[in-house]
Each structure stands twice: as C-alpha cells, then as structure tokens.
C-alpha cells in the first residue's frame, strides 16, 4: 500500500512541477503577445479539450487540454516552424522569445522556494552550524569559541547544517579554511585539520538552533534554494569529471523509493513525513529548473543558445538559422534524452530489486 501511495505522491509532485513550468512559458508568451496554440497538462491522448470561439462562432485562441498520462505537459507555440503570423514565436523580437524560454525554469525556482518556505513555516526552529562545545585540548581554542557560527568552508558559503557536513566531507583530504561569525563580525581560521588519526573529528561539536520567525523562514527558504542550486551544479560537475557515474542518476522510480522509505518508517510522525516531502519536492523543483537551463538542444537552455546564435547570424548574414535545421537538432536530442530517461528508469529498477 505504501508503494502505491509513494507512486501517487511522485506523480502528483512531478505533475505539479511540470505544469507550473509550462504555465511559466504560457504566461510569458501571453505577456509578450505570442500566440499559444495549445496548453496541455499530461501526455498522450486527450480526454478533455476546451477552446474559446470568436464572434463568428469559430474556434479561436489557445486550446486547453488534459491528457491521459499525468506526467508531463507542454505549451505549444510552434517554436521550430516558420509562420507569417506576426504573433508567432519566431516572428517576435529575441528579447521576448528569451523571456518566454527562461520563464519556465524561473517558475520552478519560485515553486521550489515556496516548498522550502512551507517547510520552514511548519518548524519552530532550524539547526545551524554553531559551535556547541570544544575539546579542552582543541588547538584553535584561542580563536574559536562556543557559540561561533560557520560562515564558509574553503570559500564555500555555509547556509545550514547540511552544507557544513557536505563541504567538511568533500574537502576531507585537504586543510580547511574556516570563516566564522561571532556577534556579527567574521574572522578566519587557516589550515584547520582533523584532530584524530582516523580523521573523524576536529575537537569541537557543532549544533545550534535558530528560531524560525516568518522573516527567518523567508531567509532560509531563499538560502536553501541557492544551496540546492549549488548542489545540482556540483552533481553535474561530478558527472562530467567522472567523480560520479551515470549509474548514480535517479529518476521518478528512485524518488518513489525515497518517498516510500519516508512514509514506511513508523518512527516518523505525519508532520515529519510532510516536512521531508516538502524538502524533497523543493529539491526536485530546483533540479528541474537548473537542468532545463543547461545548454543542451531540446531543453530551454539549448533553445536560448540557438536563439543567440540565430541573432548573431542575422547580424552577420541577414538571415536567422533555418528553422528546419534547428528543429531537426532539437528532435534528435530529444530522442537521446528519452533514451537517457529509459536508462535511468531501468537503473532505478535495478537498484530497487538489489541487482
């Protein structure tokens, strides 16, 4: 039963995030005077369709539809087609088209922030990277005191306790430069190292609490959004560098497994489950936003690159990039992305069954 509920939760979350993404494109297109042929929620066959009629009783304007499969959706503006309509996407100035392309990801950033805000508004306080206690023989006792807060580690800003442990482990093979905060002022501790031979600790315990007023909740929701954007970029960097492999990628099935673990754990109260799901939803929203802005054809980031290249071609030769060529490149890349999604799906299944 928990597996079925987990699947429904993932479908709902992804459906909301994708719908919000496409809604961002739709609203930006309308604001820019760009004609939207269809705005669809879901994929596959249509089971609901609505379109306004003009004064002559003929269909006119955007077709709004609901599709059978509740994953995905689209905002059809005919981006890869030539058209004489002045309201067509390709006939609008580049700044309007760029605004439309970037608006989907911006909406995902916004809803990610709102997930985090809901999370922090549901909590009385948040754990922070504050010095709780010091070892009597701690070599930096003259510099660091109980109550000091970590501001950055090796130049990376620390927004919360998760960031602290992440960057502590990430740079475990090198000395640390700590920037600390005390009573509103900052100071630096250079070349800090772990105190035990097994490298398990430094000689201090870190845990602190900060009350979550409304303004603090807004602040931490914004910083969590930034922190997770950084985490996604770091993960992509690890994939490119080879530090992580394609097998480490997680798709909807993997997310469903995480959700199932959360809701199956009898030690978790309902409030704890909701908070963990809000945090996971915020992370997925930010992940979708960042990935969609990557300079890869078929994604919004890739389309923005093609748009800039087309503007350059107009300046150099007086003609934009051929829409058929661009459409072909986007189409081939979309097939490759679907192949990657299938690989991730089966990899999730493999992990789930233990192979």
């Amino acid at each position: 039963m928990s597996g079925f509920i987990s699947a429904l939760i993932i479908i709902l979350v992804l459906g909301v995030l994708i719908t919000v993404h496409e809604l961002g494109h739709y609203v930006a297109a309308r604001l820019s005077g760009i004609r939207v042929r269809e705005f669809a929620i879901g994929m596959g066959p249509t089971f609901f369709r609505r379109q306004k009629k003009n004064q002559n009783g003929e269909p006119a304007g955007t077709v709004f539809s609901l599709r059978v499969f509740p994953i995905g959706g689209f905002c059809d503006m005919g981006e890869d087609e030539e058209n004489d309509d002045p309201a067509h996407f390709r006939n609008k100035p580049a700044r309007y088209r760029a605004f439309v392309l970037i608006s989907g990801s911006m909406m995902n950033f916004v809803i990610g922030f709102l997930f985090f805000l809901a999370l922090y508004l549901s909590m009385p306080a948040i754990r922070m990277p504050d010095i709780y206690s010091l070892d009597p023989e701690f070599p930096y006792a003259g510099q660091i005191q109980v109550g000091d807060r970590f501001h950055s580690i090796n130049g990376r800003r620390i927004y919360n306790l998760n960031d602290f442990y992440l960057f502590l482990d990430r740079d475990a093979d090198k000395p640390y430069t700590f920037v600390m905060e005390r009573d509103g002022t900052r100071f630096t501790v250079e070349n800090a190292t772990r105190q035990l031979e097994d490298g398990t600790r430094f000689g201090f315990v870190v845990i602190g609490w900060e009350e979550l007023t409304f303004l603090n909740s807004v602040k931490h929701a914004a910083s969590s959004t930034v922190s997770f954007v950084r985490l996604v970029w770091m993960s992509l960097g690890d994939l490119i560098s080879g530090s992580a492999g394609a097998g480490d990628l997680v798709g909807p099935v993997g997310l469903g497994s995480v959700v199932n673990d959360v809701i199956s754990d009898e030690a978790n109260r309902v409030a704890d489950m909701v908070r963990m799901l809000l945090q996971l939803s915020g992370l997925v929203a930010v992940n979708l936003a960042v990935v969609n802005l990557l300079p890869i054809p078929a994604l919004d980031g890739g389309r923005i690159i093609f748009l800039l290249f087309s503007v350059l071609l107009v300046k150099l030769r007086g003609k934009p990039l051929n829409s058929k060529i661009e459409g072909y490149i986007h189409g081939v890349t979309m097939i490759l992305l679907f192949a990657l999604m299938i690989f991730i799906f089966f990899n999730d299944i493999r992990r789930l069954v233990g192979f």
Side-chain angles (χ1 to χ4, degrees):
M1 185 64 179
S2 62
F4 176 72
I5 295 175
S6 301
L8 285 180
I9 290 173
I10 290 299
I11 290 173
L12 177 62
V13 169
L14 291 177
V16 169
L17 295 181
I18 294 172
T19 299
V20 167
H21 180 94
E22 298 303 328
L23 184 62
H25 289 315
Y26 174 77
V27 172
R30 292 299 301 268
L31 291 174
S32 303
I34 294 173
R35 191 180 308 283
V36 178
R37 296 192 299 204
E38 182 175 0
F39 179 82
I41 298 176
M43 302 294 285
T46 302
F47 70 87
F48 175 81
R49 186 177 187 276
R50 183 178 179 85
Q51 185 180 24
K52 291 183 179 180
K53 296 182 178 180
N54 60 22
Q55 295 178 344
N56 299 321
E58 300 171 340
T62 303
V63 174
F64 295 93
S65 64
L66 295 176
R67 305 277 177 134
V68 172
F69 303 111
I71 296 294
F74 59 86
C75 180
D76 181 13
M77 297 172 284
E79 301 97 315
D80 299 325
E81 303 172 7
E82 298 287 351
N83 196 301
D84 294 331
D85 184 356
H88 187 267
F89 179 84
R90 298 186 72 90
N91 297 329
K92 287 293 182 177
R95 63 182 182 276
Y96 291 138
R97 286 180 280 166
F99 171 55
V100 171
L101 290 172
I102 202 172
S103 292
S105 289
M106 292 303 103
M107 286 292 285
N108 281 139
F109 283 127
V110 170
I111 196 171
F113 165 81
L114 293 176
F115 276 127
F116 293 133
L117 181 59
L119 167 67
Y120 293 126
L121 287 175
S122 72
M123 299 165 57
I126 184 174
R127 295 175 66 182
M128 295 297 292
D130 297 345
I131 300 293
Y132 177 76
S133 64
L134 293 171
D135 190 293
E137 298 182 2
F138 179 55
Y140 307 98
Q143 294 175 271
I144 298 178
Q145 300 176 10
V146 172
D148 292 346
R149 174 170 294 180
F150 283 86
H151 179 268
S152 68
I153 296 178
N154 290 349
R156 300 185 183 98
R157 180 75 166 90
I158 304 300
Y159 295 107
N160 49 53
L161 202 59
N162 291 334
D163 285 345
F164 172 77
Y165 288 120
L166 171 66
F167 292 119
L168 207 63
D169 290 340
R170 197 170 180 86
D171 291 343
D173 59 344
K174 63 182 72 170
Y176 299 91
T177 296
F178 297 143
V179 175
M180 312 294 296
E181 287 186 346
R182 181 190 303 155
D183 299 327
T185 61
R186 296 174 190 167
F187 60 95
T188 302
V189 177
E190 302 279 358
N191 297 316
T193 57
R194 297 178 186 263
Q195 299 304 300
L196 298 183
E197 290 184 0
D198 62 0
T200 56
R201 68 183 181 95
F202 289 85
F204 55 74
V205 175
V206 172
I207 183 173
W209 292 93
E210 181 177 308
E211 182 184 359
L212 283 173
T213 63
F214 178 78
L215 290 180
N216 272 350
S217 296
V218 172
K219 180 189 74 173
H220 283 292
S223 65
S224 290
T225 304
V226 174
S227 177
F228 279 122
V229 168
R230 181 176 59 184
L231 179 62
V232 174
W233 274 113
M234 286 171 49
S235 301
L236 291 170
D238 289 343
L239 282 172
I240 294 172
S241 68
S243 300
D248 296 317
L249 295 173
V250 176
V253 175
L255 290 175
S257 178
V258 173
V259 172
N260 187 62
D261 290 341
V262 171
I263 65 177
S264 299
D265 189 345
E266 295 181 358
N268 290 328
R269 298 175 301 159
V270 173
D272 294 330
M273 294 180 190
V274 171
R275 287 167 184 159
M276 284 186 275
L277 292 175
L278 284 172
Q279 185 174 41
L280 179 63
S281 299
L283 174 57
V284 174
V286 170
N287 186 79
L288 286 176
V290 173
V291 170
N292 255 291
L293 289 177
L294 294 176
I296 298 174
L299 300 180
D300 294 334
R303 289 186 177 276
I304 292 173
I305 296 297
F306 273 92
L307 174 60
L308 296 175
F309 181 62
S310 188
V311 170
L312 179 61
L313 288 180
V314 170
K315 292 184 179 295
L316 293 177
R317 68 176 192 177
K319 293 193 303 182
L321 180 66
N322 187 292
S323 61
K324 292 183 179 179
I325 295 176
E326 182 179 348
Y328 175 77
I329 295 173
H330 289 313
V332 170
T333 308
M334 183 62 72
I335 293 173
L336 295 176
L337 290 175
F338 274 124
L340 177 61
M341 292 170 62
I342 292 172
F343 167 79
I344 293 173
F345 173 81
F346 282 105
N347 197 52
D348 284 346
I349 297 294
R350 178 185 61 80
R351 272 194 297 257
L352 195 62
V353 298
F355 285 109

